[in-house]
Amino acid sequence: MLGGIYALLGIGLTLIFGIMRVVNFTHGELYSFGAYMMFMFVMLLHLDFFLSLVLATALGVALGAVIEFVLLRRLRGADIDTTMLVMIGAWIAMQNVEQLIWSGVAKSITSPFPSAPLVLGGISVAWSRLFVFAVALLLIAGTYALVDRTRIGRAMRATFQDGDTARLMGVDIDTTYLATFALGSGLAAAAGALLGPVFVVTPGMGDLAALKAFAIVILGGLGSILGATIGGFLLAFIEELGAGYLSSGYRDAMGFALIILVLLMRPTGLISRKDRIG
Amino acid sequence: MLRVEGLTCRYGKVAAVSELTLEVRQGELVALIGANGAGKTTTLKAISGLVAPVAGRLMFSGRDITGASARHILRLGIAHCPEGRRVFPYMTVLENLQMGSHLRRDRRQVAADMAGLLDRFPILRERRAQTAGTLSGGEQQLLAIARALMSRPKLVMFDEPSLGLAPTIVDRVFDVIKTIQAAGVTVIMVEQNAFAALELSDRAYVIEQGRLTLTGTGRDLLENPRVKAAYLGA
Ligand SMILES: Nc1ncnc2c1ncn2[C@@H]1O[C@H](COP(=O)(O)OP(=O)(O)O)[C@@H](O)[C@H]1O
Ligand SMILES: [Mg+2]
């Protein structure tokens, strides 16, 4: 289940980095934003769970669009250090606003799934986890289709491969960047909205998520959707192994051990550049 | 059709093009020749909107296009086939052609144009599902030319179309460019291969260190002693 969520986070981040060359430090905040929106819609406004999921994701897309429009658009052509500092500032500001609004107390969201697990041939799976997994897979497939098959997806890939030539083809770079950042942010918010009801929601939850997303992007190779997908599932699998065979305390450390290993052996990530699609 | 008046472009403090004035008439094939670093590519980039001029004026079909976006200029009918081919390496041949028609909305006509170009360049049809990065240099150049044509330009600019290609393919590329002109499209061509460029062109401009130094018909310049000495190795 976590593999799907990690993959969503990683894909969002890798798209933004690959196409816009922006190291997006607000990624984790969009993840926690999705979770808090879910909390607000379900627990405070008593909206339908599934509708809330759609709304939280849509708001994530909108927030991403606002960040791109207000901050990043002004920084076009600025060097990577400046952009990075501004994004770090945005990250800290967003986290503090979140803490101000929601306080530091962990929130839980009730989910509509039956508490009795689904038992299939001796294996039992919680319905809520199954749901998260299925939706994550759906979103991953949707992102693939968008990038691979649509006009805006083609514009994204063209911009990624050769920005100047994409402009010569009439690609509107501003629109492409806006769409990319909004899409990546929407995926992060969706991941948070999906996982919030499974665990609890806290203001710091985005930090660990972002750290893992960066790890996945490095693992999969910068700018590779396929790499981020594989990286996400691999990270979840390794964490599970580490938690199961060593100690659950090692869960979060396992991933990073793996990354150090990959970077030592294949510095360009698991997927080489020629296989990248987005 | 196209007038460039007093064009000046800078990269930081370095002037790449200084007060360049030239004109291209409807249906002409105009060549720009000059040594490496003379400012030919920068001139084309200014016309297509990739580089913003610091001074001067660009007029196309009676419209002022100075400082307009690349997108707007393409929409008005100027296509730019860039130096070094610049096909999208991880996109298929078909996707590259689709990028050429990115701004067009007439889907049926786009499909017909694409079919027409694939008939004209059978090697591209053969390789249509391959990523462009796997093509040979000559195939990539044909793809870059076909991609530029997919926008149905009125004026198309080729930057060093023969660069790095085998001699037999160079002839083919020049043939294709001549055919494009014959079909009624106005052409600007930048070439290191000055002899071929002058032979092919109706008129030519010689650029040195960002400035215009000579202009005339291709034939006149072929006979010009200065051109002979500097560019034709005679
Ligand atoms: N992106 C760039 N940044 C800085 N200087 C550049 C850039 N592109 C070209 N130049 C400089 O501008 C001048 C003209 O270059 P260019 O237009 O590419 O010439 P040409 O196409 O005739 O070889 C050269 O001196 C070159 O070094
Ligand atoms: Mg050049």
Side-chain angles (χ1 to χ4, degrees), chain B:
Chain B
M1 180 176 217
L2 176 77
R3 278 195 62 79
V4 175
E5 293 166 13
L7 178 72
T8 302
C9 296
R10 285 203 188 100
Y11 296 106
K13 285 212 172 87
V14 189
V17 174
S18 307
E19 292 163 33
L20 190 91
T21 296
L22 58 84
E23 187 176 7
V24 179
R25 290 188 281 267
Q26 173 91 44
E28 272 189 321
L29 197 165
V30 169
L32 306 185
I33 61 172
N36 218 340
K40 307 178 298 291
T41 296
T42 306
T43 304
L44 296 195
K45 283 184 173 174
I47 296 170
S48 62
L50 279 186
V51 165
V54 291
R57 209 156 69 117
L58 298 162
M59 300 290 291
F60 179 65
S61 304
R63 270 182 240 245
D64 191 338
I65 56 165
T66 321
S69 69
R71 185 181 166 83
H72 183 68
I73 289 168
L74 178 67
R75 199 167 256 146
L76 291 178
I78 303 181
H80 179 167
C81 185
E83 186 174 350
R85 311 185 270 275
R86 304 287 282 266
V87 293
F88 297 108
Y90 311 118
M91 283 191 185
T92 64
V93 167
L94 282 185
E95 285 177 322
N96 267 277
L97 293 175
Q98 284 171 334
M99 284 312 298
S101 59
H102 190 69
L103 286 182
R104 289 175 60 184
R105 287 287 181 269
D106 48 339
R107 291 181 142 213
R108 221 173 260 159
Q109 207 46 60
V110 167
D113 286 0
M114 187 173 309
L117 284 166
L118 292 176
D119 285 341
R120 200 160 140 197
F121 305 116
I123 189 70
L124 295 183
R125 164 157 291 154
E126 205 174 292
R127 306 222 186 281
R128 63 188 179 277
Q130 258 173 260
T131 52
T134 65
L135 304 187
S136 72
E139 291 162 357
Q140 287 188 7
Q141 187 61 61
L142 291 180
L143 176 58
I145 293 173
R147 182 180 66 179
L149 295 180
M150 281 302 292
S151 68
R152 286 215 164 175
K154 300 189 180 87
L155 166 68
V156 57
M157 309 189 288
F158 296 104
D159 195 346
E160 310 253 10
S162 75
L163 194 72
L165 301 184
T168 52
I169 298 158
V170 169
D171 291 343
R172 174 83 207 279
V173 165
F174 287 142
D175 269 355
V176 168
I177 291 174
K178 198 72 197 168
T179 319
I180 291 169
Q181 184 203 11
V185 179
T186 309
V187 177
I188 301 180
M189 184 170 69
V190 162
E191 260 298 331
Q192 288 275 321
N193 185 345
F195 184 77
L198 293 176
E199 285 239 294
L200 210 64
S201 65
D202 299 311
R203 288 189 308 116
Y205 292 88
V206 180
I207 302 178
E208 282 170 17
Q209 296 176 354
R211 290 173 192 279
L212 200 72
T213 52
L214 271 176
T215 175
T217 64
R219 246 165 250 305
D220 287 347
L221 291 180
L222 275 174
E223 301 302 322
N224 184 300
R226 267 179 68 194
V227 173
K228 272 188 172 166
Y231 302 108
L232 302 176

Side-chain angles (χ1 to χ4, degrees), chain A residues 56-257:
Chain A
T57 305
L59 282 179
V61 170
L63 179 60
V66 169
I67 294 174
E68 203 287 323
F69 195 79
V70 174
L71 291 180
L72 292 171
R73 190 153 297 193
R74 282 158 214 256
L75 293 169
R76 289 272 202 286
D79 57 275
I80 193 157
D81 298 341
T82 313
T83 311
M84 212 138 54
L85 281 176
V86 170
M87 292 314 275
I88 290 173
W91 163 35
I92 295 169
M94 286 169 75
Q95 192 160 76
N96 281 299
V97 168
E98 216 161 64
Q99 190 134 10
L100 195 71
I101 297 177
W102 303 109
S103 83
V105 183
K107 308 251 188 285
S108 60
I109 303 167
T110 35
S111 78
F113 300 101
S115 49
L118 172 72
V119 183
L120 264 180
I123 305 167
S124 72
V125 197
W127 281 102
S128 60
R129 287 176 177 244
L130 204 62
F131 173 75
V132 168
F133 189 68
V135 175
L137 283 190
L138 216 64
L139 285 173
I140 292 168
T143 306
Y144 266 104
L146 180 84
V147 172
D148 203 45
R149 292 290 146 80
T150 65
R151 185 170 176 274
I152 182 81
R154 215 161 41 230
M156 286 176 181
R157 284 182 291 143
T159 308
F160 167 64
Q161 292 172 28
D162 189 336
D164 269 352
T165 306
R167 281 170 67 202
L168 285 182
M169 303 294 119
V171 170
D172 183 340
I173 300 290
D174 279 338
T175 307
T176 307
Y177 280 3
L178 188 78
T180 303
F181 203 85
L183 171 64
S185 299
L187 291 177
L194 281 169
L195 215 54
V198 177
F199 300 128
V200 291
V201 187
T202 63
M205 70 187 278
D207 291 351
L208 193 59
L211 217 56
K212 287 184 180 174
F214 277 108
I216 291 159
V217 170
I218 294 166
L219 204 60
L222 301 169
S224 164
I225 301 186
L226 181 64
T229 310
I230 297 171
F233 282 99
L234 197 63
L235 180 63
F237 178 70
I238 302 276
E239 282 186 358
E240 219 48 62
L241 277 186
Y245 287 96
L246 293 170
S247 135
S248 61
Y250 282 113
R251 174 182 284 276
D252 292 330
M254 281 311 289
F256 298 101

